[in-house]
PDB file of all heavy atoms in Angstrom:
ATOM      1  N   LEU A  53      11.578  30.446  -3.244  1.00  0.00           N
ATOM      2  CA  LEU A  53      10.584  30.167  -4.251  1.00  0.00           C
ATOM      3  C   LEU A  53       9.824  28.855  -4.020  1.00  0.00           C
ATOM      4  O   LEU A  53       8.760  28.618  -4.430  1.00  0.00           O
ATOM      5  CB  LEU A  53      11.253  30.010  -5.702  1.00  0.00           C
ATOM      6  CG  LEU A  53      11.929  31.350  -6.091  1.00  0.00           C
ATOM      7  CD1 LEU A  53      12.552  31.163  -7.590  1.00  0.00           C
ATOM      8  CD2 LEU A  53      10.914  32.486  -6.204  1.00  0.00           C
ATOM      9  N   LEU A 154      18.012  10.221  -6.058  1.00  0.00           N
ATOM     10  CA  LEU A 154      18.635  11.541  -6.413  1.00  0.00           C
ATOM     11  C   LEU A 154      17.807  12.097  -7.455  1.00  0.00           C
ATOM     12  O   LEU A 154      17.658  11.668  -8.637  1.00  0.00           O
ATOM     13  CB  LEU A 154      20.050  11.249  -6.945  1.00  0.00           C
ATOM     14  CG  LEU A 154      20.825  12.336  -7.567  1.00  0.00           C
ATOM     15  CD1 LEU A 154      20.942  13.603  -6.662  1.00  0.00           C
ATOM     16  CD2 LEU A 154      22.190  11.954  -8.103  1.00  0.00           C
ATOM     17  N   ARG A 170       3.689  16.644 -23.469  1.00  0.00           N
ATOM     18  CA  ARG A 170       4.463  15.297 -23.682  1.00  0.00           C
ATOM     19  C   ARG A 170       3.475  14.158 -23.764  1.00  0.00           C
ATOM     20  O   ARG A 170       3.637  13.237 -24.619  1.00  0.00           O
ATOM     21  CB  ARG A 170       5.389  15.079 -22.468  1.00  0.00           C
ATOM     22  CG  ARG A 170       6.399  13.948 -22.707  1.00  0.00           C
ATOM     23  CD  ARG A 170       7.428  13.858 -21.547  1.00  0.00           C
ATOM     24  NE  ARG A 170       7.593  12.540 -21.053  1.00  0.00           N
ATOM     25  CZ  ARG A 170       8.198  11.581 -21.878  1.00  0.00           C
ATOM     26  NH1 ARG A 170       8.761  11.900 -23.024  1.00  0.00           N
ATOM     27  NH2 ARG A 170       8.273  10.394 -21.385  1.00  0.00           N
ATOM     28  N   LYS A 243      30.298  44.638 -17.859  1.00  0.00           N
ATOM     29  CA  LYS A 243      30.180  44.813 -16.389  1.00  0.00           C
ATOM     30  C   LYS A 243      29.562  43.608 -15.818  1.00  0.00           C
ATOM     31  O   LYS A 243      29.622  43.372 -14.522  1.00  0.00           O
ATOM     32  CB  LYS A 243      29.261  46.044 -16.046  1.00  0.00           C
ATOM     33  CG  LYS A 243      30.082  47.319 -16.265  1.00  0.00           C
ATOM     34  CD  LYS A 243      29.188  48.480 -15.552  1.00  0.00           C
ATOM     35  CE  LYS A 243      29.877  49.730 -15.805  1.00  0.00           C
ATOM     36  NZ  LYS A 243      28.927  50.817 -16.077  1.00  0.00           N
ATOM     37  N   GLU A 247      28.212  34.996 -19.789  1.00  0.00           N
ATOM     38  CA  GLU A 247      27.229  34.919 -20.941  1.00  0.00           C
ATOM     39  C   GLU A 247      25.822  35.382 -20.422  1.00  0.00           C
ATOM     40  O   GLU A 247      25.325  34.908 -19.391  1.00  0.00           O
ATOM     41  CB  GLU A 247      27.032  33.547 -21.560  1.00  0.00           C
ATOM     42  CG  GLU A 247      28.304  32.850 -22.066  1.00  0.00           C
ATOM     43  CD  GLU A 247      29.119  32.269 -20.974  1.00  0.00           C
ATOM     44  OE1 GLU A 247      28.734  32.091 -19.862  1.00  0.00           O
ATOM     45  OE2 GLU A 247      30.295  32.069 -21.311  1.00  0.00           O
ATOM     46  N   PRO A 293      12.444  47.206 -17.261  1.00  0.00           N
ATOM     47  CA  PRO A 293      13.902  47.077 -17.420  1.00  0.00           C
ATOM     48  C   PRO A 293      14.642  48.229 -16.824  1.00  0.00           C
ATOM     49  O   PRO A 293      15.749  48.089 -16.371  1.00  0.00           O
ATOM     50  CB  PRO A 293      14.080  47.083 -18.957  1.00  0.00           C
ATOM     51  CG  PRO A 293      12.754  47.539 -19.569  1.00  0.00           C
ATOM     52  CD  PRO A 293      11.677  47.269 -18.541  1.00  0.00           C
ATOM     53  N   ASN A 317      15.886  37.707   0.003  1.00  0.00           N
ATOM     54  CA  ASN A 317      15.550  36.300   0.223  1.00  0.00           C
ATOM     55  C   ASN A 317      14.947  36.076   1.595  1.00  0.00           C
ATOM     56  O   ASN A 317      14.886  37.120   2.442  1.00  0.00           O
ATOM     57  CB  ASN A 317      16.762  35.369   0.066  1.00  0.00           C
ATOM     58  CG  ASN A 317      17.244  35.273  -1.355  1.00  0.00           C
ATOM     59  OD1 ASN A 317      16.473  35.550  -2.322  1.00  0.00           O
ATOM     60  ND2 ASN A 317      18.474  34.928  -1.579  1.00  0.00           N
ATOM     61  N   GLY A 364      -8.583  22.526 -37.268  1.00  0.00           N
ATOM     62  CA  GLY A 364      -8.890  23.980 -36.740  1.00  0.00           C
ATOM     63  C   GLY A 364      -8.092  24.267 -35.477  1.00  0.00           C
ATOM     64  O   GLY A 364      -6.963  23.680 -35.238  1.00  0.00           O
ATOM     65  N   ALA A 369      -7.862  23.556 -22.173  1.00  0.00           N
ATOM     66  CA  ALA A 369      -7.718  24.540 -20.927  1.00  0.00           C
ATOM     67  C   ALA A 369      -7.326  23.747 -19.851  1.00  0.00           C
ATOM     68  O   ALA A 369      -7.808  22.596 -19.595  1.00  0.00           O
ATOM     69  CB  ALA A 369      -9.044  25.231 -20.839  1.00  0.00           C
ATOM     70  N   GLU A 371      -7.140  23.601 -15.474  1.00  0.00           N
ATOM     71  CA  GLU A 371      -7.617  24.153 -14.193  1.00  0.00           C
ATOM     72  C   GLU A 371      -6.329  24.876 -13.599  1.00  0.00           C
ATOM     73  O   GLU A 371      -5.315  24.526 -13.799  1.00  0.00           O
ATOM     74  CB  GLU A 371      -8.037  23.034 -13.256  1.00  0.00           C
ATOM     75  CG  GLU A 371      -9.395  22.647 -13.393  1.00  0.00           C
ATOM     76  CD  GLU A 371      -9.847  21.569 -12.399  1.00  0.00           C
ATOM     77  OE1 GLU A 371      -9.298  21.612 -11.211  1.00  0.00           O
ATOM     78  OE2 GLU A 371     -10.499  20.650 -12.759  1.00  0.00           O
ATOM     79  N   ALA A 425      28.085  11.769 -24.664  1.00  0.00           N
ATOM     80  CA  ALA A 425      28.177  10.373 -24.161  1.00  0.00           C
ATOM     81  C   ALA A 425      27.137  10.038 -23.126  1.00  0.00           C
ATOM     82  O   ALA A 425      27.145   8.979 -22.597  1.00  0.00           O
ATOM     83  CB  ALA A 425      29.539  10.240 -23.525  1.00  0.00           C
TER      84      ALA A 425
END
Side-chain angles (χ1 to χ4, degrees):
L53 298 182
L154 169 60
R170 191 173 136 72
K243 286 197 183 136
E247 302 79 18
N317 287 341
E371 273 182 36

